[in-house]
Amino acid sequence: MRTAHMKIRSIAFLLILAALATGLSACSESSEHDAAMADNTHPSSGAPKHDDANGHGDDDESEKGVAMDDAALLAAGIELQTLAPSRLSEELRAPGEVTDNAYGTTLITPRVDSLVVSRHARIGDEVEAGAPLVTLSSVEVANAQAELRIAQEEWRRVSELGREAVSGRRINEARVNLDRAKATARAYGLSGTADGRSNGEFTLSAPHAGRLTEDDFVVGQRIEPGTTLFRLVDESTVWVDAKLPSESASHVKAGTPATIVAGGQRIAGTVMRSAHRTSEATRNATVRVEVPNPHDLLHSGDYVDVYFEATSEKEGRSQSATRLAVPTSALVQIDGETVVFRRDAKDGALEPVAVRAGEVIGDHTVIREGVETGDVIVVAGAFAVKSQMLKAELGEGHGH
C-alpha cells in the first residue's frame, strides 16, 4: 500500500515539472517577439515601419496630394497645362434672376372698405385692357353713386332751363356739385358717370393687358382699402438682375447689349443700369437688364446666365485684357474653399491649392491669388483628381 502511494506522488511531481518547463518556453518566445517588434518601429511614435516594394515609407499622401503617372492621367482623362497670362475678350458671365418689369406691373386694389361680391378672373389668366376682374360692394360707394346721380339730374335740369329761367348762382352750384360728385366717384374707382344704380356695387377692371400672377381673396371676404386683390403683370418685357463682382460691374455700361441664356436659348437684352451699391455680405453688385419676352420663355424667379460686353472706362467700347485665368472647369470646392490641382515640381504629385477667383470671362475664370505664371495645373478632370484624393484620405489606396 505504501509502495502505491509513493508511485502516485512521483507521477504528480513529474507532471508539475513538465508544466513549469512549458511556461518558461512560452515566456521566452514572447520576449523574442516583443524585441523583434521593437526593432521594427519608429523611435518617436512606435508605429510599425512600412518599407514596402513601392517605397512609400512614411509619406502621408492625403496631405501631399495625388501621385499619378502619365498612363493614369491619360486613362482618367486628366489634362495638365502650364499657366500663362492670356488675352481674354471682356465678355463677363454672371448668374441672374428674372424679375417682373415693375414699369409694366399694376396692383389691383380697392380704394374703399368693401365686400367681395364676385370674381371675373383667376390667377394665371391673361387679360386684355378693360377686362372685368372683380365686383365689390360698399356703403360708401352707394352714397357716392347716389350723390352723383342727383348731381347729374340737377345739372341736366338747370342746363335745359337756361340762364333766362335759372339764376347764375344756381347754375354754378349745380356745376360744382356735379364736379365734386364725379371726383368722389373716381376716387372710389368708379367711372365718374351714374349708370342708374345706387346699390354700392362696382367692378375693378384691368388697366392694361397682362397676366394675373397673384390672386389672394375669396368671395364674401371683407377687403380694406389698399389690399392687393390681383397683381397684373405685362410679361412682354421682363427684367433680369445679374450679380457681378463690384470691380467688374463698373465696366458694364447702361445701354450696352447683354445676352440671356435660358433653357438652351439665347435672348438679346439691353443693360438698363449698372449698380451703384455693393452688397456688404457678398461684395457683389447688381446690374439690371431689360429683356423682351414675346414667347413667354422667362418668368419671375427663374435663374439664368447673363453675358455682358464690358467696356473701357476711357474709350467707351469693348476691350480685351491680358490676365491669368484658368478654365472654369478646373475649379473645384474642397472644405468650403475654391481650389485648383497643381503639379508639384519635385515629386509630380497633384496638390490642391486654394485660390481667390475673380470674374468669369467666357468659359474662363480670372485667378487673383493662389497660383502664378509657370505653375502646371489640372485643366480637365479636376473632379477625378478630387475623387482620388478623397479615396486616399479614406485609406482606400494611394491614388495611383
Side-chain angles (χ1 to χ4, degrees), residues 181-203:
K182 286 183 177 181
T184 302
R186 292 194 183 98
Y188 290 159
L190 305 180
S191 63
T193 57
D195 57 5
R197 295 181 303 170
S198 301
N199 59 1
E201 291 188 2
F202 61 104
T203 299

Side-chain angles (χ1 to χ4, degrees), residues 36-52 56-58:
M37 289 295 292
D39 290 338
N40 195 37
T41 58
H42 290 285
S44 60
S45 64
K49 295 180 182 178
H50 294 290
D51 295 326
D52 55 37
H56 288 291
D58 314 14

Side-chain angles (χ1 to χ4, degrees), residues 367-378:
I367 301 300
R368 302 193 180 280
E369 293 179 2
V371 291
E372 57 188 19
T373 300
D375 287 344
V376 179
I377 69 165
V378 174

Side-chain angles (χ1 to χ4, degrees), residues 48-67:
K49 295 180 182 178
H50 294 290
D51 295 326
D52 55 37
N54 293 329
H56 288 291
D58 314 14
D59 293 340
D60 185 357
E61 193 170 29
S62 66
E63 293 180 359
K64 285 192 171 184
V66 178

